[in-house]
């Protein structure tokens, strides 16, 4: 068992397969900011990603989440899913998407072995959608994507909603009702100070407590125990339907003590935290044909040295931590 300095076991790997996206959400990749995207040759190839995953399974990784940027803009992402889902050490493979291209790809994703899917839905209002996602695109495609994920038979389809004050906090109850009606597991996410571009302000964070208070105005909820201590969401059950809803309270109720996630960026660096400013360049090691045992040793030490707990110490450290990696590069 490989543990870091705070006794956290390595278990999950989040892989950003591309830093590109067909949206420019203001809380992640604001449209008015200039962004230089990676060149194709700088991205890890699918074969290289498979190589990294294979190595990391030797150190304890069992769960994979593919994300980005927008994972569905990378060509034939189903080929990567096929490669990873056929590894017997991998017990779970999930994907997070903005849903825009999903209805066209869902069959391929499912047959490639994808087990779980999370779709981001920042609003239910067509008139608000374009201003949140920074592109003149229609919400209809995302709703079609959600519908297709249910139709193709994914057991649990999760919805992510990042809540930002005065943007979509007036839709908390509407989103909850939508997910109840369509049997979707909703996760509200507190707005985070990820990356360096979103001009985050603490006042824009709608806390888990506030979200819960709003939900309790309409629904009876009981808290559910986390199945695994590394789960990120505070989970609740509606007492009338038994359906689940959760809140990821990274700002007001940090869960760093149980964070067992390593992140692989689109350009092939390993990051021990969403708020890290320094990654381990595993792509160079692989491309320079450094021996596999030696790479494993380096990654092992990298995890053993890990003591990140940014969300716990945000108030003290945030003004000093100004060079952190962008979320769309390291994977949300
Ligand atoms: N493009 C895909 C998507 O949007 O689902 C996957 C990558 S995105 C970075 C993953 C998740 O991060 C999304 O659910 C998004 O809402 C969330 N996210 C992005 N920026 C955020 C921020 N500043 N605070 C909290 N959540 C954020
Ligand atoms: Fe793209 Fe997802 Fe970031 Fe929005 S949150 S800009 S969809 S990567
Ligand atoms: Fe994990 Fe870093 Fe988030 Fe804490 S702040 S939960 S260590 S990724």
């Amino acid at each position: 068992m490989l543990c870091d300095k705070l006794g956290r076991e390595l278990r999950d790997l989040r892989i950003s397969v591309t830093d590109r996206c067909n949206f420019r959400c203001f809380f992640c990749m604001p449209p008015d900011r200039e962004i230089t995207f990676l060149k194709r040759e700088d991205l890890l190839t699918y074969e290289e990603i498979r190589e990294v995953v294979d190595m990391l399974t030797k150190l304890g990784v069992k769960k994979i989440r593919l994300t980005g940027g927008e994972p569905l803009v990378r060509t034939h992402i189903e080929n990567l899913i096929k490669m990873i889902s056929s590894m017997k050490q991998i017990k779970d493979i999930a994907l997070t998407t903005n849903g825009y291209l999903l209805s066209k790809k869902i069959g391929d994703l499912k047959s490639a072995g994808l087990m779980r899917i999370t779709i981001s839905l920042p609003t239910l209002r067509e008139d608000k959608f374009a201003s949140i996602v920074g592109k003149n695109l229609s919400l209809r495609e995302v709703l079609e994507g959600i519908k297709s994920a249910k139709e193709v038979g994914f057991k649990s389809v999760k919805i992510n909603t990042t809540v930002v004050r005065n943007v979509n906090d007036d839709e908390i109850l509407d989103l909850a009702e939508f997910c109840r009606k369509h049997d979707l597991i909703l996760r509200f996410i507190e707005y985070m100070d990820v990356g360096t571009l979103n001009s985050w302000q603490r006042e824009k964070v709608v806390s888990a407590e506030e979200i819960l208070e709003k939900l309790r105005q309409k629904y009876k909820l009981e808290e559910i125990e986390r199945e695994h201590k590394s789960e990120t969401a505070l989970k609740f059950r509606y007492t009338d339907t038994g359906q689940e809803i959760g809140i990821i309270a990274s700002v007001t109720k940090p869960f760093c003590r149980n964070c067992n996630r390593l992140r692989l960026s689109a350009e092939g660096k390993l990051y021990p935290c969403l708020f890290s400013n320094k990654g381990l360049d595993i792509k160079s090691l692989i491309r320079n044909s450094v021996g596999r045992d030696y790479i494993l040793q380096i990654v092992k030490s990298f995890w053993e040295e890990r003591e990140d707990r940014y969300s716990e110490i945000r108030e003290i450290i945030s003004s000093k931590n100004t060079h952190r990696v962008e979320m769309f590069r390291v994977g949300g």
Side-chain angles (χ1 to χ4, degrees), residues 65 95-99 102 117-124 142-143 145-147 149-150 156-162 175-176 178-180 182-189 233 244-248:
R65 178 170 294 273
L95 176 135
T96 306
T97 171
N98 63 29
L102 188 59
I117 191 151
T118 299
I119 303 153
S120 299
L121 180 65
T123 178
L124 285 168
V142 178
L143 298 177
I146 295 171
K147 192 164 155 230
K150 287 298 285 183
S156 85
V157 177
K158 288 204 178 105
I159 300 296
N160 269 0
T161 300
T162 298
L175 283 154
F178 174 84
C179 291
R180 277 164 59 93
H182 297 283
D183 201 21
L184 303 158
I185 301 176
L186 178 57
R187 295 278 186 256
F188 287 115
I189 308 178
E244 187 190 311
I245 182 167
I247 306 176
I248 303 181

Side-chain angles (χ1 to χ4, degrees), residues 35 52 91 141 187 254 256 258 279:
I35 298 174
V52 175
K91 305 298 177 206
E141 300 294 325
R187 295 278 186 256
C256 300
N258 297 317

